[in-house]
Amino acid sequence: MALLPKSSVKTLFSATKTLTAIRPYNKAASDDPSQLARADLGKLYHIPVDAAKNLNFNKILPSKYAKQLNTLDECAILCRPQFLEVLHCFQAVRPTFPGIRVVLWGRFGTGKTLTLAQAVHYAYTQNWVILNVRDVMDWTRVVKDVQMSTYRTGRIDLPEHSVNFLNHFKQQNQHLWKTILTDLKTTKDYVWTKTEKTPIDKPLTDIVDMGLASPFLANDCVGALCRELRLHASSGALKLLVAMDAGNSLYGRTVIRKADRTFATTDELSLVQQFRKFFRDDWTNGLVLTIADKREISDAHIDPFIPIETQLYTEAEAKALHDYYKDKQWLVTDEARSEAGLKQLYYLAAFNPHHFERLCAFN
Amino acid sequence: MSSTRPTLALLTRSLQNLRVSPVQALQCQDLSTAAPQSSQPQKLKSVGRALENYLRNARNYEKMLAKEKAEFELGKRYLANIMGWDATSITQDDVDKAIEYLFPSGLTDLKARPVMKPPEEILPKFHKFEFDREGKPMDPLFFTLKPKFYGLLSEVGRKTQHLVRHYDAQVSRGAVPESEPLSLAGSAWISDVDLGRRLGENISPEMYAQLVIALDYLASLPLAIEVKDFIFQYRQAVVAGSNQAVLFGPPIPEVQIDPASNRRMASVVTRAKAVKVEVTVRDAGTGKYTVDGHHYDVFRSVMARENLASPLIATNMFGRVDIEAKVLEGPYGLSIVPRAVRHGVSLGIAALFPDAVEPLRQLKMLTMEPRRKERSKVNQPGARAKWIWKRR
């Protein structure tokens, strides 16, 4: 029998050790977000990569986290108190309550967008219809083509943004495309133009396809889609999640200029008006989850809502992530992998999750 | 009129004019008829032009100083009138404060600001040499141009000679003198600057070296204890263990007890560039760290946070102290507040935990950064940069 090389002997021994030893990092009991409870706080759970792909996580997650997802080929997210609160809000949704409005707020880098993504994934697992706006500030600050609305005079349509939104909606709800969204039918005739029309009792997917086919109708299609979804949610046929990043931008400022070279207000954008309707009490069985982004100067009137604050890391949370990075061999230097290194990283990051992640990526 | 008998006054006056001995003059019976002395009046010994100039300068200096002194005293009385003080009890401190108030100046060079001080302090000094009636210097070493220094050197030489002779005499008698060696521990030779000030002369490095060699030899002699007093006149005490207290910038502050929470705390005000911060470090903390009320994660730059956290990293005080920093003077840029706060935090931690002083000192965190923005000059874009130079 050939002598085993020293290295493999070592790994054999260490393998037997780890079988009985503590796991490399703090894993949650289950990867199903609906099973997460207080016992799972400070632990990491995984979102399957194909779910992440289906939900277009590349576009909705913060850019650095999206890159990490691609690099590590894994989507591991820390379970933090704010997500559990959001889950409770999900569980409170019912046909007898009007749309529950939840606002995520907090310091820079504390996990607002990430919690939104977690909520979108939860809705995906629970077969909710997801209306996810990637960034409302895109609509107000990134001026693509602009068109005056034919539906209401004085309103401004944003065709390209509407098409992007419809594409995003289509991709995120692929799992329901052939089922709920085809089964549910339009409740009225939609006359887009003299020639284009979606009659009553057609599947909702037709509205989306119409908008994708003709960009100049896309904004009106978005409005119609929103209306239909509200009605069907109120009737109990579906549960609706409206997830908007930088939702306070619906009441903020725009950079879009009108014909007389003055800035338009958000009241004059049809997309904004369509989504503001979700903040009314006239529909039920849905959850409106928004983020109050500090970048925007806004005066939002969406009372009553549930505010959920996102916090800085505790030592335990930082340790859990540190162990995860160690396990993934993401930390470069020996000092960063040590206990003293963790303390230094934690304090250098000023307990901020964003800063902590950046420091771990470069140390 | 007929000639009157010459009065005594006339006699003495004519004597002075003639510069003859009074005895000779009295021998004349009738001075009115006496013919003027054939020899010319004896002149004063002619003095060198340099000495003439010196004497003139000395006289002028005395006059000028007297005038300035009188003006200064008058000025103080005017100042007392302006400021509403009692004219009799005015200190120089009061005068300084009043001038700073009446003539506020933004000049960066403190020596260029308006000042009202006794003329001896401000006006250039004029050294008076001592000469006798004939113009010969009183000091025998005058022509060495540094009489005091060479006098000292000569004194050292004389004493050395005396000790050597004394020792040799005793040895020749057969009795080897037993005396304790002179202990020069804890002191150093007076510095050349201080010596120059004491003697009132400019001492060159070579001269100073020669003096130190001479003094060292004197102190090394076996009977040096006899001239101990003389030697110690030229020794300066070196304070032992003074490194602890002497810091450039604010010293390590005193530890106080916070009345509200009964915790030990240390508070210090420091500067960096043009920014002044007040930092309070409290013991028995939870790791709170606020700057102007904001938690320190508002600093998005890693360098800023590194600066802020570096005293904690150096002394491993994570989570043990609470830090509160406040900016007292602005305006400020992005990176300067962390630098100033870091200095304050280091001093605070050094005050609360004396063991931490050594690691902080070695990392040079206890010293204030003395650099300030250099003044821009005219005809230049900045402090040092010049416009593009063209050969032609």
Side-chain angles (χ1 to χ4, degrees):
Chain A
M1 182 181 91
L3 273 171
L4 290 166
K6 260 196 185 154
S7 52
S8 63
V9 169
K10 235 184 185 170
T11 47
L12 265 178
F13 276 120
S14 59
T16 47
K17 237 170 120 180
T18 48
L19 280 173
T20 48
I22 310 159
R23 276 191 298 258
Y25 61 93
N26 232 349
K27 272 201 199 133
S30 133
D31 280 344
D32 183 6
S34 57
Q35 303 296 318
L36 291 172
R38 294 202 76 81
D40 296 309
L41 281 177
K43 297 189 183 158
L44 289 122
Y45 77 100
H46 294 261
I47 292 178
V49 182
D50 48 327
K53 268 208 189 64
N54 293 343
L55 290 169
N56 223 355
F57 263 18
N58 265 336
K59 299 277 172 61
I60 58 176
L61 282 173
S63 61
K64 300 289 187 272
Y65 188 80
K67 281 190 191 155
Q68 186 188 295
L69 204 162
N70 289 327
T71 310
L72 299 179
D73 214 14
E74 198 178 74
C75 187
I77 304 187
L78 195 59
C79 177
R80 298 185 74 201
Q82 59 249 27
F83 181 55
L84 290 184
E85 293 196 32
V86 169
L87 285 180
H88 291 153
C89 296
F90 268 111
Q91 276 137 30
V93 167
R94 60 207 62 178
T96 43
F97 285 176
I100 296 178
R101 308 195 266 279
V102 179
V103 174
L104 285 168
W105 67 285
R107 302 177 76 89
F108 165 79
T110 44
K112 304 185 284 291
T113 308
L114 209 58
T115 311
L116 196 89
Q118 286 178 290
V120 164
H121 172 248
Y122 172 77
Y124 171 84
T125 56
Q126 302 295 309
N127 285 330
W128 287 38
V129 175
I130 304 167
L131 260 177
N132 175 217
V133 182
R134 270 179 271 163
D135 197 354
V136 179
M137 275 190 98
D138 262 354
W139 296 350
T140 55
R141 298 302 201 278
V142 178
V143 185
K144 299 230 164 115
D145 48 351
V146 156
Q147 182 181 297
M148 293 319 287
S149 171
T150 48
Y151 179 63
R152 284 236 195 285
T153 48
R155 288 257 180 97
I156 299 168
D157 276 359
L158 305 170
E160 198 166 328
H161 286 303
S162 311
V163 165
N164 290 340
F165 171 73
L166 287 171
N167 263 320
H168 188 60
F169 172 80
K170 184 168 182 179
Q171 179 163 5
Q172 284 194 320
N173 293 284
Q174 272 303 306
H175 59 300
L176 305 170
W177 205 249
K178 298 265 174 16
T179 52
I180 302 181
L181 292 171
T182 320
D183 292 342
L184 293 172
K185 311 290 184 199
T186 53
T187 52
K188 74 169 203 184
D189 269 332
Y190 289 103
V191 181
W192 311 115
T193 58
K194 287 204 193 75
T195 43
E196 310 284 347
K197 176 176 144 129
T198 303
I200 196 169
D201 233 20
K202 281 284 175 179
L204 298 181
T205 50
D206 281 3
I207 305 177
V208 181
D209 292 331
M210 172 62 69
L212 289 173
S214 351
F216 66 97
L217 299 176
N219 212 333
D220 296 334
C221 295
V222 168
L225 178 71
C226 291
R227 180 178 169 277
E228 291 297 324
L229 287 174
R230 275 198 298 274
L231 286 171
H232 286 295
S234 303
S235 71
L238 56 86
K239 280 187 156 32
L240 182 62
L241 168 68
V242 183
M244 293 186 273
D245 201 340
N248 60 337
S249 210
L250 291 174
Y251 299 88
R253 315 238 179 119
T254 65
V255 166
I256 299 161
R257 283 186 197 269
K258 294 188 288 211
D260 57 353
R261 297 201 65 229
T262 57
F263 286 118
T265 55
T266 43
D267 300 339
E268 287 162 339
L269 296 180
S270 24
L271 269 178
V272 167
Q273 290 290 357
Q274 283 150 9
F275 276 84
R276 276 192 197 170
K277 290 186 184 153
F278 286 107
F279 290 124
R280 295 217 289 237
D281 293 330
D282 54 5
W283 66 290
T284 63
N285 209 18
L287 180 74
V288 184
L289 183 59
T290 49
I291 290 176
D293 200 328
K294 280 186 169 196
R295 295 177 294 159
E296 177 68 77
I297 306 161
S298 65
D299 191 19
H301 299 293
I302 55 167
D303 284 324
F305 61 88
I306 302 169
I308 298 178
E309 194 184 354
T310 51
Q311 306 278 9
L312 300 172
Y313 273 161
T314 59
E315 290 221 42
E317 289 173 330
K319 184 170 191 327
L321 266 176
H322 185 251
D323 289 337
Y324 172 69
Y325 288 136
K326 265 201 294 195
D327 186 54
K328 290 279 143 191
Q329 295 173 2
W330 189 234
L331 296 167
V332 175
T333 55
D334 279 328
E335 292 115 42
R337 284 191 282 265
S338 66
E339 283 302 309
L342 163 62
K343 249 202 154 136
Q344 277 196 30
L345 287 167
Y346 182 58
Y347 278 87
L348 263 178
F351 325 147
N352 188 295
H354 171 268
H355 297 327
F356 186 77
E357 187 274 322
R358 289 284 79 211
L359 282 170
C360 287
F362 285 98
N363 282 284
Chain B
M1 288 313 277
S2 60
S3 58
T4 50
R5 282 182 68 223
T7 56
L8 194 56
L10 188 59
L11 193 66
T12 44
R13 232 180 289 140
S14 56
L15 270 175
Q16 278 167 355
N17 284 341
L18 294 174
R19 288 182 189 274
V20 298
S21 92
V23 171
Q24 278 178 303
L26 280 166
Q27 280 169 1
C28 301
Q29 285 294 317
D30 193 355
L31 278 174
S32 57
T33 51
Q37 290 289 326
S38 53
S39 62
Q40 287 302 308
Q42 229 180 342
K43 281 195 206 144
L44 269 176
K45 253 189 158 163
S46 69
V47 294
R49 199 168 313 154
L51 202 53
E52 245 176 54
N53 287 339
Y54 167 78
L55 285 170
R56 189 180 351 107
N57 287 338
R59 260 180 259 126
N60 289 343
Y61 178 77
E62 291 290 313
K63 259 190 264 174
M64 189 254 315
L65 202 63
K67 181 163 143 273
E68 292 289 333
K69 274 204 181 107
E71 273 186 14
F72 178 69
E73 291 304 317
L74 187 64
K76 276 211 285 198
R77 290 167 72 90
Y78 272 128
L79 193 62
N81 199 17
I82 294 168
M83 301 297 288
W85 297 333
D86 175 25
T88 48
S89 61
I90 307 168
T91 61
Q92 188 54 42
D93 214 25
D94 293 335
V95 171
D96 289 339
K97 287 206 183 89
I99 295 297
E100 205 187 316
Y101 167 69
L102 292 168
F103 301 97
S105 169
L107 296 172
T108 45
D109 191 350
L110 296 172
K111 290 191 200 151
R113 293 188 177 181
V115 72
M116 180 168 164
K117 290 220 196 284
E120 307 91 64
E121 282 179 41
I122 297 182
L123 297 172
K125 293 196 186 14
F126 184 86
H127 289 289
K128 282 204 75 179
F129 304 116
E130 312 226 307
F131 298 95
D132 62 9
R133 278 188 63 226
E134 290 171 337
K136 283 209 221 80
M138 304 285 253
D139 196 332
L141 293 172
F142 174 77
F143 290 105
T144 62
L145 300 179
K146 306 234 189 258
K148 298 258 170 41
F149 174 79
Y150 287 100
L152 171 61
L153 213 47
S154 304
E155 184 71 30
V156 173
R158 272 197 292 280
K159 289 200 151 51
T160 311
Q161 252 188 349
H162 164 75
L163 284 183
V164 164
R165 285 208 190 109
H166 189 44
Y167 186 81
D168 286 344
Q170 299 221 321
V171 163
S172 69
R173 259 188 259 126
V176 177
E178 290 275 335
S179 65
E180 52 196 83
L182 189 63
S183 160
L184 297 174
S187 58
W189 293 119
I190 185 172
S191 69
D192 48 356
V193 170
D194 289 334
L195 185 68
R197 257 191 238 127
R198 193 192 284 189
L199 300 177
E201 283 165 10
N202 195 7
I203 315 274
S204 79
E206 293 80 15
M207 290 160 67
Y208 178 71
Q210 292 297 325
L211 177 68
V212 169
I213 290 168
L215 282 168
D216 267 336
Y217 181 65
L218 177 65
S220 72
L221 291 173
L223 293 175
I225 203 105
E226 291 180 21
V227 292
K228 189 174 114 171
D229 294 331
F230 173 75
I231 287 172
F232 274 97
Q233 270 180 14
Y234 298 97
R235 293 289 288 189
Q236 277 175 334
V238 171
V239 181
S242 65
N243 291 336
Q244 194 82 352
V246 176
L247 279 176
F248 180 83
I252 296 173
E254 299 277 316
V255 176
Q256 301 155 330
I257 305 286
D258 184 14
S261 52
N262 224 24
R263 290 149 69 185
R264 291 164 66 230
M265 72 178 223
S267 198
V268 66
V269 174
T270 49
R271 301 194 80 104
K273 267 190 174 178
V275 160
K276 199 158 132 180
V277 299
E278 184 190 0
V279 180
T280 312
V281 183
R282 288 190 176 82
D283 199 0
T286 49
K288 233 169 62 114
Y289 198 144
T290 54
V291 176
D292 264 348
H294 303 289
H295 179 67
Y296 72 118
D297 79 331
V298 299
F299 291 94
R300 299 267 183 109
S301 156
V302 179
M303 193 182 76
R305 273 176 282 125
E306 274 179 359
N307 267 327
L308 289 170
S310 51
L312 304 176
I313 296 173
T315 52
N316 203 17
M317 290 285 157
F318 295 125
R320 280 180 72 178
V321 290
D322 279 351
I323 296 161
E324 195 189 305
K326 212 162 46 164
V327 178
L328 301 174
E329 260 173 44
Y332 51 88
L334 286 172
S335 65
I336 199 57
V337 166
R339 272 169 54 189
V341 171
R342 167 186 134 143
H343 180 57
V345 170
S346 307
L347 288 172
I349 289 179
L352 291 172
F353 304 99
D355 295 334
V357 173
E358 209 34 58
L360 285 172
R361 175 181 305 115
Q362 292 195 349
L363 289 164
K364 301 190 176 69
M365 286 206 208
L366 294 176
T367 332
M368 189 178 79
E369 168 86 71
R371 294 182 294 175
R372 291 268 180 277
K373 199 178 167 89
E374 193 174 310
R375 195 207 121 170
S376 310
K377 283 93 188 177
V378 297
N379 293 333
Q380 278 177 206
R384 298 285 174 105
K386 314 279 185 290
W387 305 119
I388 294 176
W389 178 75
K390 284 200 187 135
R391 193 175 290 278
R392 51 186 68 81

